[in-house]
Amino acid sequence: VTAPPPPPSRTPPLRLGLGLRLRVRLSVGVWNSVVRNPPPARGGTMSRIGVLRIRSQMGTWRVKDIDGAMTVRELMDRVATEKSLSLSENERLCASPSGSDPLPLDAGLASLNVKHGDMLYIMLTEENQVAHEEAKAPRKVDADGNVRAQEYADGAGRRGFRPGMLPLRAMKMQWTLTDFLDMDARFVFKMKRQEDAACAGVDMETNVARDFQQALRQTAFQQCRVGYLYGTFTDDNKVKVKCLYEPPQRGTAVDVELLEDPREDTVEKLAALLGLRRVGWIFGHPPREEGFHFASPEVFMAAEQQLEAAGGIGDTPFVTIKVTCNAEGLASVEGFQVSKQCMEMVAEGALEIGENPGDCAVNETFTAIVEGKEAKEVNNNFFLINVAISQYEADDMVYSFPVANREELGTTQGQPDLRAQIESAGKQGWCVAQNLTLTRSLSLTLNPKP
């Protein structure tokens, strides 16, 4: 019997597997040690930091390629150069937002343990904040060939939804065609004449109108003058004027400047005690060319007064009375209101006082359509509505006491005037209510000067 041949010789699998695993583990360990802890390289690259963040009132800046050997002073000089700043001694880099621990100027960043991604802080002066904003602004070449920072208004007309407005995306991210059209319609005014005034008519006390004309005649109608009318509104939307108050003012042949009035509140309170309210205003001016009724400031004054009386854009009987004279020297007294569209345009800022006094300029943000065409100006007569005036004589009023605030016209108030007014009551005298009511222009009860 022959014995079977021996099995072929081979290396035990356990020993080979163990050696392979040992070699793989050794290779991975060496690789990790090299990658995670690289050996020092020549040239000092171990001092390289990378990126630092600098926070100021203007935001956070990233400063790249920072070397650990760089000093704090050198870092500040670099920030000043990149951000167009002029740093003073009090503007220092600090490790904390409070600014209580400024870093030494001559110390190296590596010695201060500053690492990649660290945040440093600096408090800038107002001048540097402005300089930084101007440096970020786009540049433009002016008419003299100088390059300067472009102001907001220079680019707003191109980028904004309308001149002076933000871009659409800055208002909201998504717009539909309906949204856009509704938005645009808010800034477009199609000019329409208003045929009927909210005021049905004015009953003007004869002596009030006559006395205001007399003040204008003292300057031969060559000086503008204004006053406030007090009375009542009737149930049928009429105005009944009973007295007048002229505030302190300085008039010229072109316009009038209203001065500060220390008695303004007193006038309003006194009128309220008498059951009166401000129902209109009156102005006088030198003769003008035919068809020129209101200057732009007078349109604005009328609109603002109506807005105040109506508490917004709405109907009100508040009236404007205009007094002037013609070429023959005959005085004319006319009543007006401005249209609700004019009130709305003034309230929205769509109108401005332009170079031509007979027209109101249209703000560039808005569009005015006149007879189907865009117009940069709107004639003032387009806003005016005539109001009928009738006169009456009040049987409970006396008109002999001098009007206040007419010193520049030579009219003063004194004790003789007060004595004459009191003596005019006769033996019957006046009660307190009568004494308050029987006055012209509220002048008697406004503390006459001795």
Side-chain angles (χ1 to χ4, degrees), residues 169-205:
R169 186 174 291 273
M171 301 179 193
K172 67 177 186 177
M173 296 300 295
Q174 296 181 349
W175 288 82
T176 65
L177 180 59
T178 302
D179 293 338
F180 178 83
L181 294 177
D182 290 343
M183 181 74 171
D184 189 63
R186 293 170 50 190
F187 299 91
V188 178
F189 290 91
K190 297 181 179 179
M191 308 308 300
K192 299 179 181 179
R193 287 188 180 275
Q194 183 174 326
E195 299 298 334
D196 299 323
C199 179
V202 181
D203 292 332
M204 188 87 168
E205 216 291 329

Side-chain angles (χ1 to χ4, degrees), residues 106-120:
D106 296 324
L109 297 177
S111 65
L112 296 174
N113 199 27
V114 176
K115 301 182 294 298
H116 170 76
D118 281 356
M119 180 81 74
L120 300 179

Side-chain angles (χ1 to χ4, degrees), residues 3-128:
S9 176
R10 59 180 179 179
T11 305
L14 176 62
R15 188 174 299 172
L16 286 176
L18 180 59
L20 178 61
R21 287 196 294 269
L22 289 175
R23 287 194 297 270
V24 170
R25 288 179 180 176
L26 177 60
S27 300
V28 171
V30 173
W31 174 260
N32 287 338
S33 65
V34 172
V35 173
R36 295 179 180 177
N37 302 297
R42 298 178 182 179
T45 56
M46 281 296 293
S47 64
R48 184 178 182 80
I49 293 177
V51 177
L52 290 180
R53 295 175 295 166
I54 311 294
R55 174 168 290 180
S56 71
Q57 303 97 307
M58 309 307 299
T60 301
W61 305 320
R62 293 170 57 88
V63 186
K64 301 179 180 179
D65 301 327
I66 301 298
D67 192 274
M70 180 183 293
T71 64
V72 175
R73 187 188 305 276
E74 292 172 342
L75 177 59
M76 292 181 60
D77 291 342
R78 180 172 167 184
V79 171
T81 301
E82 292 182 359
K83 304 303 177 182
S84 301
L85 305 176
S86 179
L87 298 177
S88 64
E89 296 181 358
N90 296 326
E91 296 170 291
R92 298 278 296 277
L93 284 172
C94 303
S96 64
S98 63
S100 59
D101 51 350
L103 301 178
L105 293 176
D106 296 324
L109 297 177
S111 65
L112 296 174
N113 199 27
V114 176
K115 301 182 294 298
H116 170 76
D118 281 356
M119 180 81 74
L120 300 179
Y121 303 88
I122 187 171
M123 293 293 293
L124 299 178
T125 61
E126 184 177 352
E127 291 77 8
N128 271 324

Side-chain angles (χ1 to χ4, degrees), residues 258-439:
L258 295 180
L259 308 177
E260 184 178 357
D261 188 3
R263 297 188 291 186
E264 181 178 1
D265 292 338
T266 304
V267 172
E268 297 298 328
K269 291 178 181 178
L270 176 60
L273 290 173
L274 299 175
L276 306 177
R277 60 180 298 179
R278 189 181 297 186
V279 295
W281 73 293
I282 187 171
F283 73 97
H285 62 77
R288 294 171 176 170
E289 61 185 54
E290 186 177 355
F292 180 18
H293 297 288
F294 277 51
S296 299
E298 294 155 2
V299 171
F300 272 73
M301 180 70 169
E304 290 168 354
Q305 292 287 321
Q306 287 183 207
L307 285 167
E308 183 177 354
I313 304 170
D315 292 330
T316 174
F318 194 95
V319 70
T320 298
I321 305 296
K322 183 175 79 83
V323 182
T324 187
C325 69
N326 56 23
E328 290 76 25
L330 299 177
S332 65
V333 181
E334 299 176 277
F336 294 93
Q337 280 193 308
V338 295
S339 64
K340 289 175 64 175
Q341 188 176 53
C342 178
M343 296 169 63
E344 181 181 3
M345 295 182 73
V346 170
E348 294 291 340
L351 295 179
E352 296 178 344
I353 297 176
E355 297 181 359
N356 183 3
D359 298 326
C360 283
V362 180
N363 185 282
E364 62 177 0
T365 304
F366 296 83
T367 302
I369 306 298
V370 179
E371 296 180 352
K373 298 180 181 180
E374 181 179 352
K376 299 298 182 182
E377 295 180 329
V378 181
N379 189 274
N380 294 337
N381 291 342
F382 201 91
F383 300 120
L384 302 181
I385 314 167
N386 290 97
V387 178
I389 297 180
S390 60
Q391 295 189 13
Y392 76 101
E393 291 189 8
D395 54 4
D396 59 346
M397 304 285 286
V398 291
Y399 296 91
S400 57
F401 195 77
V403 178
N405 301 319
R406 284 189 180 177
E407 289 81 2
E408 76 282 1
L409 299 179
T411 300
T412 59
Q413 299 172 332
Q415 289 184 348
D417 303 304
L418 180 60
R419 183 182 302 110
Q421 187 70 63
I422 295 176
E423 290 176 352
S424 66
K427 296 181 179 180
Q428 295 180 351
W430 291 337
C431 67
V432 175
Q434 288 174 326
N435 188 25
L436 292 176
T437 304
L438 301 178
T439 60

